[in-house]
Amino acid sequence: MAKFTKANSVGEWLDQRLNTTALNKVLMTEYWIPKDINFLWAMGVLLATTFGILVISGLFLMMYYKPDVNLAFDSVNYTIMQEVAYGWLFRHMHGVAASVVFLIIYIHMFTGIYYGSYKQGREMIWISGMLLFMTFSAAGFSGYMLPWGQMSYWAAMVITNLFGGVPIIGDALVVWIRGDFNVADATLTRFFMLHVFLLPIVIMGLIGLHFYTLRIPHVNNQSSEDIDFDAEAEKYLSGNKKESKVIPFWPIFISKDLAVLGIFLIFYFYLVFFHYNFAMDPVNFDPADNMVTPAHIYPEWYFLWSYEVLRGFFFDVGPIKAFDIGLAAFGFANAIFLLLPFLDRDPAVLPAYKRPGFNVWFWILMVDLIVLTVYGKLPPTGINAWVGFVSAMLFIILFLVLPIITKADAKKRGA
Amino acid sequence: MSNDTNRRDFLGYTFAAVAAVGGAASLVGMKKVWDPLPSVLAGGFTKVDLSGIKAGEPSTIMWRGKPIFVLKKTAEMENSDRDLVIGNDRFTIAIGLCTHLGCIPAWKKSMWKCACHGGEFDASGKQVFGPPPRPLDLPPFSVSGNTLTLGEEGPEYKKIASAMKA
Ligand code: FES
């Protein structure tokens, strides 16, 4: 056992037993961040904070929510919204945070893509981040179902039916996932378990992994310059702070993050108090009815792009059914981002504006995703169906040509 | 020495075997927890009186939590080999869930239109537009006189089911 002497303070007492001084250095005061980064790099702290808000507001909601098909709707819309003091506040905080968290995730993701932060040594950062995105999606979807309104019900119906597309076992798989022939009580209770326990635990684990993946390759910067972190850190520690390209996370860098966080929270609470409705679909204030489908159903805004890819293919091609093409495209859309580090064949890490072909690719992708998102919410008839088809095709083609475009960029630079 | 090593290997293999059996058994257990309960599986015969149904206006009956469409065809509606013929009347019997992703299509004049992704089915339940990959599904049923019993496979059901396969 290590030698313990009498401690002179609580801090010293803890340090002897937990080595808090060393831990503090590794995590905070000697965790190095490049100086050359902008507010887009604050999204990590924003996400961590938003997740914290989700967990805490969720705990308060869980105390009154009842996971039972006969009680769920009223426990949310009557008990929590009308009876519980400030119940409405926690619901709106939870609902708005669930929506805003995806906005921030998308900004975080596309910042990474723009600056090439997924490449050469940073693949694990990207992959763990995409796994987080997928788990967040599952958590968002399972939570959307809990109020047991019409939109909840039919979202669950459509999404669970997707598994029917799995060859051979599809139909049985759908019944198994639902625990009933239909979306029913068994489905609600298992989604409740997923939403309040299993998925949050997985998310926390993945957040830990995601932070850890940053330790060795370190965080990227605006010019994608390859910084020797050890040398720069030494400069900083020897007092040469001006020349050093890095600063410690705590207390220097965090101040900028906190400033961005402050602005974000003002925006967030503005939404919570004045515009909470955007996260609450009016259809979901009708109780679930398994005998009537709402006239037009669509998912929350953050799933619209992949939903549109799914339904973009509305005609059969030869013997292949439109349904299967759509499903395959949907699977592609959800998995392809994971492979991004390997589709980008450019050996250098550079921001998009220094890679002409990739720059064009990036902005076309952004526009395409916006078009998909907008059309995902419109009824899929007439010309809308064709816009959906073309933009879904474009999405797929973009990823198929990415290796060629990035290779060509590298060649032009003479790499 | 080599004796010891073998003994240790043996212990290792034994542990691996026990763990594998235990692991597989728990997976089976976990899978079964998610299976539908017996009460859910047992639920399920519904009787429908066909004599009160008006031609051209489909009715929707709930069976096993799913909507069942029963449409008495009018004279203008095309015949189909999935029609259930009782006397002079022809009926379309179908599970009212879109074969695309399971929304309930709504009857609009002469067709079922699915609002979710624009699928359309004609009066015989055949898909005529959009992503649905196959006609509306046929629920198992039997007929006696004017009564339809959903949930059991009668000869009329078998005949239509095999006609639909062909
Ligand atoms: S569920 Fe009917 S068209 Fe998709």
Side-chain angles (χ1 to χ4, degrees), chain A residues 216-403:
Chain A
I216 295 159
H218 285 277
V219 65
N220 194 10
N221 54 73
Q222 277 189 82
S223 53
S224 308
E225 185 190 351
D226 193 5
I227 295 174
D228 181 345
F229 279 82
D230 292 328
E232 297 299 326
E234 209 144 302
K235 265 193 223 161
Y236 188 92
L237 288 174
S238 66
N240 210 348
K241 295 187 182 174
K242 223 173 190 176
E243 249 165 61
S244 171
K245 287 180 180 150
V246 299
I247 44 172
F249 176 73
W250 186 277
I252 313 289
F253 175 73
I254 191 82
S255 60
K256 183 171 179 179
D257 267 9
L258 293 180
V260 179
L261 181 63
I263 294 168
F264 165 73
L265 287 177
I266 292 171
F267 164 71
Y268 165 73
F269 278 104
Y270 169 72
L271 291 179
V272 168
F273 287 110
F274 301 106
H275 284 290
Y276 53 82
N277 265 338
F278 89 97
M280 312 258 153
D281 196 288
V283 179
N284 224 18
F285 289 91
D286 294 334
D289 182 347
N290 61 350
M291 297 304 276
V292 187
T293 312
H296 174 41
I297 71 161
Y298 42 81
E300 288 290 82
W301 70 266
Y302 40 85
F303 293 141
L304 286 171
W305 67 271
S306 63
Y307 182 69
E308 186 63 9
V309 171
L310 170 75
R311 66 179 196 177
F313 298 90
F314 58 90
F315 47 80
D316 301 355
V317 178
I320 315 171
K321 299 290 182 193
F323 174 75
D324 298 314
I325 305 174
L327 203 60
F330 179 72
F332 177 89
N334 282 285
I336 198 65
F337 277 106
L338 206 57
L339 297 178
L340 196 61
F342 312 102
L343 292 176
D344 189 333
R345 307 301 303 160
D346 192 329
V349 181
L350 285 173
Y353 64 84
K354 290 188 189 160
R355 301 161 70 189
F358 180 77
N359 202 14
V360 173
W361 181 90
F362 178 84
W363 290 110
I364 295 181
L365 176 68
M366 296 304 289
V367 171
D368 192 42
L369 286 172
I370 292 170
V371 170
L372 284 169
T373 301
V374 170
Y375 278 83
K377 185 134 189 179
L378 299 176
T381 41
I383 183 83
N384 291 0
W386 286 100
V387 175
F389 169 71
V390 171
S391 40
M393 272 313 276
L394 179 60
F395 178 85
I396 292 172
I397 292 170
L398 277 174
F399 280 92
L400 295 182
V401 298
L402 182 61

Side-chain angles (χ1 to χ4, degrees), chain A residues 154 157-158 161-162 175-177 179-182 190 290-293 295-297 307 310-311 314 321-323 380, chain B residues 31 33-37 40-41 60-62 64-67 97 100-104 115-118 129-131 133:
Chain A
W154 290 97
M157 178 70 118
V158 170
N161 251 328
L162 282 180
V175 172
W176 182 72
I177 290 173
D180 202 321
F181 299 108
N182 216 352
R190 68 188 51 181
N290 61 350
M291 297 304 276
V292 187
T293 312
H296 174 41
I297 71 161
Y307 182 69
L310 170 75
R311 66 179 196 177
F314 58 90
K321 299 290 182 193
F323 174 75
Chain B
K31 190 247 165 208
V33 169
W34 275 43
D35 278 342
L37 303 174
V40 168
L41 292 175
T60 307
I61 291 116
M62 178 142 88
R64 280 191 180 172
K66 296 180 186 174
L97 296 174
H100 180 220
L101 289 175
C103 295
I104 302 178
C116 293
H117 315 99
F129 178 81

Side-chain angles (χ1 to χ4, degrees), chain A residues 47-189:
Chain A
L47 281 171
T49 310
T50 315
F51 181 64
I53 294 177
L54 279 168
V55 170
I56 293 167
S57 56
L59 290 177
F60 283 92
L61 294 175
M62 200 161 59
M63 291 190 279
Y64 288 96
Y65 174 75
K66 295 197 170 63
D68 178 308
V69 287
N70 298 310
L71 306 173
F73 186 82
D74 285 337
S75 76
V76 174
N77 289 298
Y78 178 68
T79 311
I80 291 175
M81 292 301 278
Q82 317 272 336
E83 285 198 287
V84 177
Y86 291 106
W88 55 270
L89 178 60
F90 284 105
R91 187 188 183 195
H92 289 161
M93 282 177 67
H94 200 73
V96 173
S99 201
V100 167
V101 93
F102 281 93
L103 176 67
I104 308 292
I105 288 178
Y106 283 134
I107 296 176
H108 196 51
M109 240 173 100
F110 289 109
T111 306
I113 297 180
Y114 187 85
Y115 290 103
S117 306
Y118 51 90
K119 306 210 306 174
Q120 272 68 13
R122 296 200 179 89
E123 294 91 342
M124 278 312 297
I125 305 179
W126 178 260
I127 291 170
S128 61
M130 284 312 297
L131 292 177
L132 258 175
F133 172 68
M134 290 171 178
T135 325
F136 260 107
S137 302
F141 166 64
S142 55
Y144 192 55
M145 195 184 146
L146 300 184
W148 210 244
Q150 268 291 61
M151 211 46 130
S152 303
Y153 185 88
W154 290 97
M157 178 70 118
V158 170
I159 301 291
T160 49
N161 251 328
L162 282 180
F163 292 91
V166 175
I168 305 164
I169 57 162
D171 290 338
L173 186 63
V174 172
V175 172
W176 182 72
I177 290 173
R178 292 175 179 165
D180 202 321
F181 299 108
N182 216 352
V183 174
D185 197 58
T187 327
L188 176 62
T189 48

